[in-house]
Amino acid sequence: TPTCEPETPLCCRRDHYVDFQDLGWRDWILQPEGYQLNFCSGQCPPHLAGSPGIAASFHSAVFSLLKANNPWPLGTSCCVPTARRPLSLLYLDRDGNVVKTDVPDMVVEACGCS
Amino acid sequence: QGAESVCPSCGGPTLEPQAERALVLELAKQQILEGLQLTSRPRITHPPPQAALTRALRRLQQGSVAPENGEEVISFATITDSSTSTCSSMLTFHLPTPRSYHLYHARLWLHVLPTLPGTLSLRIFRWGPRRKRRGSRVLLAEHQMTTPGWHALTLPSSGLRAEEPGVLKLRLDCRPLEGNSTAARQPRWLLDTTGEQRPFLELKTRPNEPGAGRARRR
């Protein structure tokens, strides 16, 4: 997935690093110090619909050309996460216990057009 | 609201960078609380001493593999009744509210002081609420220790059901074994149950999904 540049209108991944210090949560989240809060944004014109959003194969390039030349776009397509990974957190709960847990699907790694 | 720039997704006006940053921080808070199934950030009333925390985490990092999709918990003991004997104590643990998780690994970490005279026999009981006169107690494990320092004592995870929600009481009954009778008579503290080397429980849980193990094997 291309990372969004200011002028990128097409579907891309917008990266934001959140430092837990900025949230004032360093007193209870022990590890890590922050995490990537990425999200997907951008347009999905018809010929990009259904594209995986990563290096497409020759087949999907041809498929996209066929769709682009199809005068009747099949409904709208949205820019959505296509790959996510868990985030491992070490934190203190309200009783002072240390809890280590993996929160699934926390970090968006790739975006694509639905 | 930037006048000329347009949001590439919805065509509306884009946010000023500061406004976007504030929105991202708010989103991060929501996402983390949802991920941890919390309604608000925990207000920690009794944070463990930093030194105890650092030591406990260092002990766990040696060779511990985080359970897949599971949780690891370190719970520090509060001492509710250090009786007059040399090392019998009542340890109280305030465990996290049990989610639909299955406890499969439990160890009690104790620090034995250098005053240890020879071999120490230690019995660990789970202490239930008072029925009739005496508290009900279930023997969980029996260990013998011959060296001072930290000891990780395995407990049967099936026996660690918290009586009241989240509160687990363990009774330590220990006595120096014969052999060094002179030392056995001198009542001295043998277990470090307070301060930076206080006991802690190490628990590992995994989701309760039915057949989780089968799915993983498949």
Side-chain angles (χ1 to χ4, degrees):
Chain A
T1 303
T3 304
C4 293
E5 300 303 333
E7 63 287 343
T8 314
L10 294 183
C11 179
C12 57
R13 190 191 69 211
R14 191 171 297 278
D15 290 357
H16 278 278
Y17 179 75
V18 175
D19 189 320
F20 294 132
Q21 191 69 42
D22 297 346
L23 303 181
W25 282 7
R26 272 281 183 82
D27 62 322
W28 68 282
I29 296 182
L30 306 174
Q31 286 292 328
E33 295 185 355
Y35 82 111
Q36 283 294 130
L37 189 156
N38 306 330
F39 55 90
C40 303
S41 83
Q43 289 154 13
C44 281
H47 67 281
L48 272 184
S51 72
I54 44 183
S57 67
F58 173 72
H59 164 74
S60 57
V62 170
F63 187 52
S64 297
L65 282 174
L66 285 175
K67 281 186 286 182
N69 293 304
N70 174 350
W72 298 286
L74 311 172
T76 54
S77 158
C78 306
C79 182
V80 293
T82 52
R84 292 190 282 193
R85 63 178 157 81
L87 174 69
S88 196
L89 282 176
L90 188 71
Y91 66 95
L92 287 176
D93 73 3
R94 65 166 185 264
D95 296 310
N97 297 312
V98 181
V99 183
K100 178 178 178 186
T101 189
D102 287 344
V103 184
D105 294 340
M106 271 294 268
V107 182
V108 172
E109 287 197 305
C111 303
C113 291
S114 61
Chain B
Q1 185 164 340
E4 67 294 336
S5 60
V6 170
C7 167
S9 274
C10 61
T14 55
L15 291 171
E16 283 301 318
Q18 293 85 349
E20 181 175 7
R21 186 67 187 159
L23 184 64
V24 164
L25 294 184
E26 212 37 53
L27 277 174
K29 286 185 178 179
Q30 286 174 23
Q31 196 185 27
I32 287 168
L33 292 177
E34 256 169 47
L36 296 178
Q37 297 174 27
L38 297 174
T39 51
S40 62
R41 57 145 293 167
R43 297 289 163 202
I44 299 142
T45 47
H46 306 294
Q50 189 59 42
L53 195 53
T54 309
R55 182 175 285 106
L57 292 176
R58 197 180 308 130
R59 294 211 162 282
L60 292 187
Q61 248 131 34
Q62 291 155 9
S64 94
V65 178
E68 185 190 335
N69 288 342
E71 275 189 351
E72 270 184 87
V73 177
I74 296 176
S75 187
F76 290 94
T78 47
I79 314 302
T80 42
D81 151 28
S82 41
S83 62
T84 52
S85 90
T86 52
C87 64
S88 293
S89 301
M90 178 77 84
L91 307 180
T92 300
F93 298 91
H94 294 272
L95 302 180
T97 38
R99 292 191 282 189
S100 57
Y101 275 26
H102 160 65
L103 175 68
Y104 70 92
H105 168 97
R107 287 198 296 187
L108 175 63
W109 289 71
L110 289 178
H111 187 258
V112 179
L113 294 173
T115 52
L116 176 71
T119 302
L120 189 72
S121 161
L122 174 71
R123 292 191 300 169
I124 304 169
F125 296 89
R126 194 190 75 233
W127 200 259
R130 288 190 176 287
R131 288 195 192 102
K132 302 188 187 70
R133 225 167 25 79
R134 284 177 52 79
S136 70
R137 62 183 210 170
V138 174
L139 177 63
L140 293 177
E142 193 155 1
H143 293 270
Q144 292 197 354
M145 297 180 276
T146 54
T147 56
W150 280 101
H151 290 261
L153 310 177
T154 302
L155 299 177
S157 46
S158 55
L160 290 188
R161 195 183 52 258
E163 295 297 334
E164 305 146 46
V167 177
L168 175 70
K169 290 181 185 284
L170 297 180
R171 171 98 202 159
L172 305 183
D173 270 353
C174 69
R175 55 192 166 78
L177 287 186
E178 306 321 315
N180 190 343
S181 55
T182 51
R185 269 201 303 277
Q186 296 153 8
R188 269 173 301 175
W189 284 107
L190 302 174
L191 290 183
D192 186 344
T193 55
T194 60
E196 294 174 0
Q197 289 168 328
R198 71 177 73 174
F200 63 89
L201 266 182
E202 171 203 351
L203 307 171
K204 290 186 182 175
T205 60
R206 68 164 66 101
N208 247 348
E209 289 125 21
R214 270 201 308 280
R216 224 191 324 278
R217 273 198 295 281
R218 219 184 7 259

